[in-house]
Amino acid sequence: MKTKALFLILTYLFFSSMLSAQMKPDLIVKRIHTLEKVVALTFDDGPNKEYTESVLKILRKNKVKATFFLVAKNVLKYPALAQKIKAEGHEIGNHSLNYFDYSLLTEDAVLEDVLISQTIFYQKLGNFPLFFRPPYGNLDITNYAVLDRYFEKIVKWSIDPKDWDPTTNRNKILNIVFKHLKPGSIIILHDNNKTSLKALPKIIKKAKKLGYRFETLEGLLN
């Protein structure tokens, strides 16, 4: 079984490396241009032992699917939690191996990070993520060719309520989200803090009341 998995991983890496080095013009996405009232909720940095379960519970209760950009080292640490995210129908993206700033890494270091992290995702979850979100949202132009070979999209965001900021609170998060909310928005949150957890039910409830529906990134792109 391990031999078969290794063969599939090597096959994936080989054919991915054979793709054109020319970057797709729409490789990086921050929001989708649409008139339809659809938005994507995305969560970074998990899986998190303390908060991810609570995020999943809120999403389950409200029948919302989201996209989780997981850090591979956290997937190794909490594989059952990562598997639960997938089992509940949420989409999983790659958020790097160790959460290093890609803009400060050499091209070889970025390639190594991508290959190891993608291998971990395959080993623990059975598939290679199609979407990548760079740590801190930072990239160098030399990163693009590498990432273009292994991912369909580099995903950033159009709404960042900075839920990670220790000075923020639920009302600040809500104000930022609904000040900028529009069809095709991509909202970035983190499943590693209590403030985001407090704001999430209200974000979902109010957005639905305004006529929006939530999609995974793949659903939004399609």
Side-chain angles (χ1 to χ4, degrees):
M1 192 67 183
K2 288 184 178 179
T3 302
K4 182 180 179 181
L6 180 60
F7 173 75
L8 289 172
I9 291 167
L10 292 174
T11 301
Y12 160 78
L13 298 179
F14 173 76
F15 282 109
S16 295
S17 68
M18 296 299 288
L19 296 177
S20 170
Q22 184 178 0
M23 190 180 80
K24 295 185 285 288
D26 58 347
L27 177 64
I28 299 175
V29 59
K30 296 181 179 180
R31 65 175 287 259
I32 303 302
H33 296 284
T34 178
L35 297 177
E36 197 172 350
K37 298 181 87 171
V38 290
V39 295
L41 270 178
T42 66
F43 296 90
D44 283 12
D45 297 356
N48 180 278
K49 183 181 179 181
E50 189 172 356
Y51 297 108
T52 301
E53 287 273 13
S54 298
V55 170
L56 289 175
K57 184 177 180 180
I58 293 170
L59 296 175
R60 192 184 317 122
K61 180 179 179 180
N62 290 278
K63 299 180 180 179
V64 167
K65 300 302 180 187
T67 301
F68 286 76
F69 284 96
L70 304 181
V71 177
K73 69 176 183 180
N74 293 338
V75 173
L76 278 177
K77 193 173 183 180
Y78 305 114
L81 195 48
Q83 289 158 11
K84 185 171 184 179
I85 294 171
K86 180 181 177 181
E88 295 201 5
H90 302 292
E91 187 172 55
I92 291 178
N94 187 328
H95 198 33
S96 82
L97 173 63
N98 288 306
Y99 203 77
F100 293 149
D101 187 335
Y102 269 36
S103 68
L104 303 178
L105 299 180
T106 65
E107 186 174 350
D108 286 345
V110 168
L111 178 60
E112 182 180 8
D113 191 279
V114 167
L115 295 183
I116 294 174
S117 61
Q118 285 290 81
T119 301
I120 289 170
F121 280 104
Y122 183 85
Q123 290 174 333
K124 300 301 179 183
L125 298 171
N127 62 280
F128 299 106
L130 299 176
F131 304 122
F132 179 82
R133 175 169 282 164
Y136 310 103
N138 292 343
L139 288 173
D140 185 86
I141 192 169
T142 59
N143 300 154
Y144 295 155
V146 172
L147 297 173
D148 189 27
R149 291 202 298 268
Y150 298 100
F151 301 100
E152 285 191 6
K153 299 287 183 184
I154 298 170
V155 182
K156 293 195 176 183
W157 53 84
S158 59
I159 300 177
D160 179 8
K162 294 180 170 53
D163 59 330
W164 45 266
D165 188 334
T167 67
T168 197
N169 56 49
R170 188 186 75 161
N171 288 338
K172 284 183 180 179
I173 291 174
L174 294 173
N175 287 340
I176 292 172
V177 168
F178 290 101
K179 178 181 179 181
H180 300 284
L181 189 68
K182 62 180 65 175
S185 292
I186 298 175
I187 304 169
I188 179 175
L189 296 170
H190 298 78
D191 57 333
N192 64 1
N193 67 80
K194 191 177 294 185
T195 310
S196 181
L197 203 60
K198 290 179 178 178
L200 183 57
K202 187 67 174 178
I203 291 173
I204 294 172
K205 183 178 180 180
K206 185 171 180 179
K208 285 185 173 182
K209 189 174 182 179
L210 291 171
Y212 285 89
R213 77 172 190 275
F214 293 91
E215 293 278 0
T216 62
L217 279 170
E218 187 171 11
L220 193 65
L221 289 165
N222 291 333

